[in-house]
Amino acid sequence: MRLISEEMILSLKGVTDACYRLGGGVTSFALLTRVGVSTLVKYATLGERRGDGSHEHGATLIPVDIAVEADLRAGSPIITSEMARHLGFRLEPLEDRIAIEAPLAEADVLAIMDKATDVWRMARSAFADGR
């Protein structure tokens, strides 16, 4: 019996698709990896529904080496972070890999406050309509 649930599979396929998009698209990524476009698409989609209710690509998940390549291309550990989350962990950058280019400025703080306000508004809206 597999420990990976259908919800986990859907989540991993969704972040795989998002990672491809952030990395410039599945077509350009295929030129840089060991698999072709059609295989990459299988990792990010369910495919057509079969008569038994399963999906054509429902059990096809991205291999670890391709996931790392996709994350590198996207510039962030998108797929790897989702894998870690399903295991109950989170990824954090290594101290020696963090590069601080400039000290925090007033404009940076205001930009953070703007984003926080956006999140606050979205949360209020979500609670108001129950979604």
Side-chain angles (χ1 to χ4, degrees):
M1 181 173 105
R2 291 187 81 181
L3 297 177
I4 297 176
S5 68
E6 193 170 324
E7 291 79 21
M8 286 179 177
I9 290 172
L10 289 172
S11 168
L12 290 168
K13 284 184 173 285
V15 297
T16 299
D17 182 55
C19 190
Y20 292 163
R21 292 172 193 267
L22 287 172
V26 70
T27 306
S28 65
F29 180 58
L31 300 173
L32 306 171
T33 191
R34 66 179 172 84
V35 296
V37 172
S38 63
T39 303
L40 290 170
V41 169
K42 289 177 186 177
Y43 300 151
T45 62
L46 290 173
E48 295 186 22
R49 185 177 290 273
R50 296 179 176 151
D52 64 359
S54 67
H55 287 91
E56 180 182 17
H57 311 303
T60 307
L61 294 172
I62 191 166
V64 173
D65 63 318
I66 306 297
V68 170
E69 287 185 56
D71 283 351
L72 287 169
R73 173 99 171 152
S76 180
I78 298 165
I79 300 169
T80 311
S81 291
E82 187 67 7
M83 290 178 190
R85 189 181 72 78
H86 286 298
L87 294 171
F89 293 87
R90 72 171 177 264
L91 300 182
E92 295 180 7
L94 297 173
E95 292 296 326
D96 62 345
R97 303 260 334 240
I98 299 173
I100 300 175
E101 296 179 15
L104 194 61
E106 182 180 342
D108 298 323
V109 174
L110 293 174
I112 292 168
M113 291 172 63
D114 287 343
K115 293 297 180 190
T117 301
D118 292 343
V119 171
W120 176 79
R121 284 189 182 116
M122 287 174 20
R124 287 190 55 91
S125 176
F127 283 117
D129 66 14
R131 289 188 280 150

